[in-house]
Amino acid sequence: MPARPSAPELLGGMPVAALAGALVGTLGAFKHQSGVSAVTGAGFPWGLLLSLAMVAAVLSAIRVSFVSRLYTIAAAVGVVAAVGLFALRGPGGSLVVIGNAEGIVWLIGSVLIALLVAVLPGRRRAGSPPADGILEADAREEDPAP
């Protein structure tokens, strides 16, 4: 079984992972409407597609980079918190995530992607012993056997 991260590693890494998730959620919240006309609502929602892909890519990278799932959960909480915050009305009554089709897909899609990536199993190759992390696995593969 892989070694669990120590308490200092968790105390240092989980806030960083949550911050990374919050940054991804914030960027996606502001860019998910790109490509859609504010006047007509027409256009291809490339901003929505790229924002959802960014959430999936960042959370997946965190998931495969660390042994513990806790870092991915912290990043997923950061994404969901940022998306939820920007779905609320601001002090002036303005909204970042509006209630059109793209906004609803962004709200539901980002949360579903975060949940899906957080519950996915870690990466392991068939027949290989569990590694302590991505760096140890790579070092073991490159080390020639005598």
Side-chain angles (χ1 to χ4, degrees):
M1 179 165 212
R4 295 209 168 259
S6 65
E9 289 173 338
L10 286 174
L11 287 174
M14 287 184 58
V16 172
L19 179 63
L23 290 174
V24 167
T26 299
L27 183 59
F30 279 97
K31 289 305 202 179
H32 75 277
Q33 293 287 334
S34 296
V36 179
S37 171
V39 177
T40 64
F44 185 74
W46 58 268
L48 174 64
L49 296 176
L50 290 175
S51 294
L52 290 173
M54 176 179 57
V55 170
V58 169
L59 292 179
S60 296
I62 292 172
R63 182 68 188 112
V64 300
S65 296
F66 297 101
V67 173
S68 177
R69 189 182 311 253
L70 294 174
Y71 298 110
T72 307
I73 292 171
V77 167
V79 168
V80 171
V83 170
L85 176 69
F86 288 113
L88 300 174
R89 289 200 181 275
S94 62
L95 285 169
V96 175
V97 179
I98 59 177
N100 63 357
E102 289 81 10
I104 293 170
V105 170
W106 167 246
L107 281 171
I108 295 170
S110 60
V111 172
L112 286 178
I113 289 170
L115 179 66
L116 178 69
V117 173
V119 299
L120 284 175
R123 80 173 167 89
R124 271 189 69 194
R125 292 187 188 98
S128 67
D132 290 335
I134 193 168
L135 297 177
E136 287 83 4
D138 290 342
R140 186 173 40 240
E141 290 172 3
E142 293 175 7
D143 189 24

